Amino acid sequence: MEKIQMVDLQTQHLHIKNEIDEAINNVINSAHFINGEQVSEFAESLAKYLGVKHVIPCANGTDALQIALMSLNLKPSDEIICPNFTFISSAEVIGLLNLHPVLVDVDENSFVSTLKNIEQAITVKTKVIIPVHLFGQAAEMEAIMELAKKYNLYVIEDTAQALGSEYVFKDGSRKKLGTIGTIGCTSFFPSKNLGCYGDGGALFTNDDTLFENIKMITNHGSKQKYYHKIIGCNSRLDTLQAAILNVKLKYLDSYIEKRRKAAHYYTSQLQDLEQIITPIENEYSLHTYHQYTLKIIDGNRNALKEYLNKKDIPAMIYYPVPLHKQEAFTTIARSHSTLEISEKLSEQVLSLPMHTELTKEQQDYIIKAIKDFFEENNS
Ligand SMILES: *Cc1c(COP(=O)(O)O)cnc(C)c1O
């Protein structure tokens, strides 16, 4: 059996090596390393895949979130609602722009912000809601959009972990995540659903004015070379990364299928263990399992992690510290409700190896190790 990895990017690469080599060589031969034609080609293909009018590539997912906020003409001290249980990026860029993150608690089963908590957090200063589609599962977008309309708020979707996931509306229609809010943001960090071979990110919008504004911000606040209308930044997707993404985008749906299949196999084998809770799929969400995250409810999460690690099974805690407990946020973060669910989750969650190359043999080894652990612990 191949050594089990949290994410196996080497094997994934071997399947597409020839195509990638050719794509990379084309860029090197052209020497158009910045803004080469592969970048606009990728933006167009991704827009088509997502069913969105505009895709603006940028340097990474954190930049995408920052640029999205910069494009909305916010004022210092405006409040931005974001989940308390997630990766730091969304709250970090809010702080960086002198805005206030208002942290809301999440649902204990689906790990995404609950509508009730979001509505409770709205004040006269609130300008934006940032739903994070955590682990590949959709936040409650239809209701969030209704809320945003009622209170006149923008919505920036953090789709870094959920590219390709879909939202199923009450009328049965579907949209790709990231295309429902005012702006969608994503990351092409290597381990993400669609990963490049370095850093990369993108923003999506259906709004023509925002599209122009976002493009200008990513390019030093400039529409015409050496004439700068506003303070922007330098955030571009390298041509090499775009060329790689052009190859990998064709495989995204098959990658998602492999993730879902592996996740469903884990769940079928683990759901009867009384010490753990397997991930749920919200009925309105096509889950893409960026992470396969268990809750260990008998208090033995850390012991299980160590046990698995000793058997050469990697397992990770996403996330060990909720944002309100992070030193960086002690002075700027606000909240209007308790954050006890995120605190509890940070002590219960454990993510298992999840990627496109997991074999049944590897999964069976992992599943057996988990079962053995609980048997040994109970006797
Ligand atoms: C990975 C990630 C980001 C940031 O992406 P980078 O490309 O690493 O900057 C933002 N939000 C979430 C939820 C993520 O998982």
Side-chain angles (χ1 to χ4, degrees):
M1 187 175 71
E2 293 284 326
K3 185 173 164 21
I4 298 173
Q5 302 186 66
M6 201 62 200
V7 178
D8 179 355
L9 296 174
Q10 291 100 325
T11 311
Q12 191 189 59
H13 171 71
L14 286 179
H15 298 302
I16 52 174
K17 185 179 181 312
N18 292 343
E19 282 180 274
I20 295 280
D21 285 349
E22 193 189 335
I24 289 175
N25 278 329
N26 286 342
V27 176
I28 293 175
N29 291 334
S30 78
H32 288 161
F33 297 113
I34 302 292
N35 292 336
E37 62 187 20
Q38 289 84 350
V39 180
S40 45
E41 191 189 317
F42 173 64
E44 273 169 39
S45 311
L46 184 60
K48 199 165 160 216
Y49 173 85
L50 292 171
V52 72
K53 209 160 164 194
H54 306 289
V55 166
I56 309 99
C58 68
N60 57 68
T62 309
D63 272 13
L65 289 160
Q66 179 186 326
I67 292 160
L69 286 170
M70 287 170 78
S71 75
L72 296 174
N73 295 317
L74 305 169
K75 295 184 308 298
S77 90
D78 280 347
E79 292 183 347
I80 317 296
I81 295 173
C82 70
N84 187 43
F85 184 73
T86 180
F87 187 60
I88 191 152
S89 293
S90 39
E92 182 179 34
V93 297
I94 296 167
L96 192 66
L97 296 171
N98 285 321
L99 303 160
H100 278 288
V102 176
L103 304 171
V104 296
D105 217 353
V106 296
D107 180 73
E108 73 174 312
N109 298 311
S110 64
F111 308 123
V112 294
S113 307
T114 65
L115 196 70
K116 187 168 135 267
N117 288 334
I118 294 174
E119 185 154 25
Q120 243 177 34
I122 296 174
T123 72
V124 289
K125 290 189 165 177
T126 309
K127 291 287 152 56
V128 184
I129 303 170
I130 305 187
V132 178
H133 305 302
L134 200 72
F135 303 151
Q137 169 122 273
E140 240 174 302
M141 284 309 293
E142 189 163 11
I144 289 172
M145 293 313 288
E146 281 164 19
L147 208 58
K149 200 166 166 205
K150 181 169 159 198
Y151 293 97
N152 199 19
L153 307 173
Y154 298 113
V155 176
I156 299 174
E157 292 177 71
D158 182 341
T159 318
Q161 299 190 0
L163 197 70
S165 300
E166 287 178 344
Y167 191 91
V168 186
F169 289 82
K170 284 185 211 119
D171 67 5
S173 65
R174 288 161 170 249
K175 277 189 183 164
K176 288 276 195 294
L177 296 185
T179 68
I180 303 163
T182 322
I183 302 172
C185 294
T186 202
S187 162
F188 307 116
F189 186 85
S191 61
K192 299 282 156 101
N193 288 1
L194 177 64
C196 61
Y197 291 12
D199 274 311
L203 300 96
F204 330 130
T205 187
N206 285 308
D207 182 313
D208 296 338
T209 311
L210 275 176
F211 166 62
E212 292 297 336
N213 211 11
I214 289 166
K215 233 178 23 178
M216 181 166 69
I217 293 167
T218 59
N219 183 33
H220 301 288
S222 164
K223 283 186 179 167
Q224 188 189 350
K225 208 165 188 181
Y226 306 122
Y227 292 82
H228 305 274
K229 258 174 104 84
I230 53 166
I231 303 290
C233 48
N234 172 21
S235 189
R236 295 182 287 237
L237 181 69
D238 289 350
T239 312
L240 276 170
Q241 300 304 340
I244 289 161
L245 287 166
N246 278 331
V247 174
K248 289 189 74 181
L249 179 59
K250 294 184 291 184
Y251 297 99
L252 178 57
D253 282 340
S254 70
Y255 291 159
I256 288 171
E257 233 4 86
K258 287 178 180 170
R259 286 180 180 278
R260 285 176 56 78
K261 196 172 159 219
H264 293 154
Y265 187 60
Y266 273 141
T267 296
S268 71
Q269 301 302 304
L270 295 171
Q271 64 189 354
D272 292 336
L273 289 177
E274 59 189 27
Q275 299 89 342
I276 67 181
I277 296 178
T278 50
I280 63 151
E281 291 185 17
N282 284 332
E283 78 274 16
Y284 52 75
S285 166
L286 181 110
H287 198 325
T288 51
Y289 291 98
H290 175 62
Q291 299 296 342
Y292 184 86
T293 304
L294 298 172
K295 287 195 293 176
I296 316 301
I297 53 173
D298 71 344
N300 277 318
R301 191 267 314 266
N302 292 346
L304 172 61
K305 180 175 187 291
E306 259 174 55
Y307 181 90
L308 294 176
N309 290 166
K310 272 198 199 116
K311 294 189 176 270
D312 278 331
I313 300 168
M316 300 287 286
I317 297 167
Y318 303 122
Y319 294 91
V321 185
L323 297 183
H324 73 294
K325 293 251 171 109
Q326 298 285 356
E327 213 179 322
F329 291 123
T330 39
T331 57
I332 59 160
R334 299 174 181 166
S335 60
H336 302 294
S337 56
T338 67
L339 298 165
E340 58 199 5
I341 304 227
S342 3
E343 284 183 33
K344 193 163 100 182
L345 288 178
S346 65
E347 286 162 13
Q348 291 184 335
V349 287
L350 189 65
S351 297
L352 298 183
M354 172 50 71
H355 52 81
T356 57
E357 312 303 319
L358 268 181
T359 64
K360 182 161 180 298
E361 188 188 16
Q362 290 174 323
Q363 283 196 286
D364 283 335
Y365 179 77
I366 297 165
I367 290 157
K368 180 169 183 310
I370 294 172
K371 289 183 173 167
D372 287 349
F373 171 81
F374 288 116
E375 251 167 52
E376 286 171 28
N377 251 304
N378 280 349
S379 55

